[in-house]
Amino acid sequence: MPFLLACRLIAQSDMQGMNMPGMNMGSQASPAENFLMGLSSGTSLNPAAWPMPMLRHSLGSWNVDLMAQAFIVDTQQTGPRGHDKLYSTNWLMIGAQHKVGTRGAFQFDSMLSLEPATITDRLYPLLFQTGETAYGKPIVDGQHPHNLFMALGVIYAYRLSDKATLELAFQPVGDPTLGPVAYPHRASAMELPEAPISHHLQDSTHISDDVLTAGISYKKFKLEASGFYGSEPGENRWIIQQGPMNSWATRLWYLPSKNWAAQVSTGRLAHPEALEPGDQIRTTASLSYSRPVAGSSWSSSLIWGRNHYTATQQNGNSFLAETVAPFRKLNFFTARFELVDKNELFPGVPDAPNARIGAYTGGFTRYLRFFKTVQTGLGANMTFYILPADIKPEYGNRPIGANVYICFRLRPPAS
């Protein structure tokens, strides 16, 4: 059903042209619907000035949004732990909004991915990445695929006044109120096909199960809280798993203008890693900026995330700076810089070192207009790593990772 609806929307857009955000959509969106359309992943927010790359259309009394992208990536890595692989990261997101009375609206969210099929052997190579399992073993130097259902749920918004909005959400699969906008949805990360190695210290909860959220927005602030199932997804990526609502998170947003979005958040994850004892207490802070430039935007993020591991009483910190800068509409320069504490690089080894890893990524994507609502991009990036001397025998003195990729992305015809 989501696939058929997506095909219908694309066909209509090619025949009629798509309405852009803020334009009359036939069925005029209410303030509550506009509030919902501004959400990113779950109830998280990119800066409002970011021109969200979505197709938007009205179907009767419904307003429907469609976003999709797919990367076909060839990864090459150096060093004793480096690997090579051809794979695809991808997702399709559909949101449908409908008014409820004069002040309310609800939105059905769905986000699907074929990564369980397009990423073989349950991971793709990513040096120094850790988190989750593959074939019953901890994943080290690799990134897990996303589930078929990356998001599924309903969000309700009610305008209490011109300055205040109440929101309630239930997501069998979704994003609780912990961390910045997750990297697949983050404006500053849109041209990077690979996950950050800080993912499991910042935004890894974006595919949590049984998420219940309540929040209130007032002027430039938004305060929200979630309960959810804290365990990371299992290795069967084709199903929706469920569990008790045993974890919690709370987040405060500050939105001083359309160009800026800042958040601080904290939460407790009940036994998130299947093969590691104990809980994690995660705390994050982030600042994001977007400024429209020539039909796209220059977007940047600064993110800090910290995990406290209750079983070992250790702390792990992560720092990320990330930007994407357009040049003459169809060219995008990207950069990502990370410093991340990693204590899981040697599973099963007593007194394994806790290593602080530096990862410095630069890249470029060039888009070509073959179709009206689909852009095809060709790009590449390279990551250089800095690591402590005591783990260089395992990784080499100067390991490097490189990606060459083709990207397909839905974009409104006017972008």
Side-chain angles (χ1 to χ4, degrees), residues 2-18 55-59 63-67 93-95 373 410:
F3 177 76
L4 295 176
L5 178 57
C7 292
R8 179 180 176 186
L9 285 170
I10 295 171
Q12 288 179 335
S13 69
D14 286 337
M15 292 185 294
Q16 302 170 5
M18 291 301 298
L55 304 182
R56 180 164 286 173
H57 201 73
S58 58
L59 296 176
N63 293 316
V64 181
D65 299 328
L66 174 66
M67 297 177 66
M93 183 165 62
I94 300 175
T373 56
L410 291 182

Side-chain angles (χ1 to χ4, degrees), residues 191 327 330-334 362-366 378-381 405:
E191 303 301 332
F327 177 70
L330 300 179
N331 304 286
F332 293 84
F333 293 93
T334 57
F364 174 77
T365 306
R366 164 70 180 183
L378 303 176
N381 64 45
Y405 54 85

Side-chain angles (χ1 to χ4, degrees), residues 24-35:
N24 190 319
M25 297 175 59
S27 174
Q28 184 63 41
S30 68
E33 287 175 289
N34 283 326
F35 177 89

Side-chain angles (χ1 to χ4, degrees), residues 397-410:
N397 289 332
R398 297 179 182 86
I400 297 172
N403 296 307
V404 178
Y405 54 85
I406 302 173
C407 177
F408 302 96
R409 179 174 285 125
L410 291 182

Side-chain angles (χ1 to χ4, degrees), residues 77-227:
Q77 297 175 334
T78 67
R81 289 200 180 189
H83 290 88
D84 309 328
K85 191 167 189 172
L86 180 67
Y87 59 95
S88 172
T89 59
N90 51 79
W91 52 260
L92 165 69
M93 183 165 62
I94 300 175
Q97 305 90 23
H98 197 281
K99 298 177 184 177
V100 180
T102 59
R103 290 179 172 267
F106 61 85
Q107 173 172 286
F108 288 107
D109 274 336
S110 63
M111 187 171 182
L112 309 176
S113 175
L114 291 178
E115 289 180 14
T118 60
I119 297 176
T120 58
D121 297 325
R122 303 181 184 177
L123 59 85
Y124 64 81
L126 185 58
L127 283 171
F128 302 103
Q129 182 67 298
T130 57
E132 303 197 19
T133 63
Y135 302 103
K137 297 180 179 180
I139 294 177
V140 180
D141 301 314
Q143 170 65 30
H144 61 81
H146 289 108
N147 287 24
L148 171 65
F149 294 99
M150 291 179 65
L152 192 66
V154 60
I155 304 174
Y156 173 74
Y158 182 79
R159 297 284 287 183
L160 299 170
S161 69
D162 291 342
K163 298 179 180 179
T165 300
L166 172 70
E167 59 182 335
L168 302 170
F170 175 66
Q171 299 167 290
V173 182
D175 194 354
T177 58
L178 181 59
V181 177
Y183 79 88
H185 312 266
R186 194 162 61 232
S188 57
M190 293 298 284
E191 303 301 332
L192 291 164
E194 72 273 24
I197 62 171
S198 52
H199 178 46
H200 283 268
L201 291 89
Q202 296 175 355
D203 57 359
S204 64
T205 55
H206 74 108
I207 49 173
S208 296
D209 297 297
D210 294 321
V211 183
L212 183 64
T213 298
I216 188 165
S217 301
Y218 181 72
K219 293 184 178 180
K220 298 178 181 180
F221 294 90
K222 183 164 85 157
L223 179 64
E224 51 194 354
S226 295

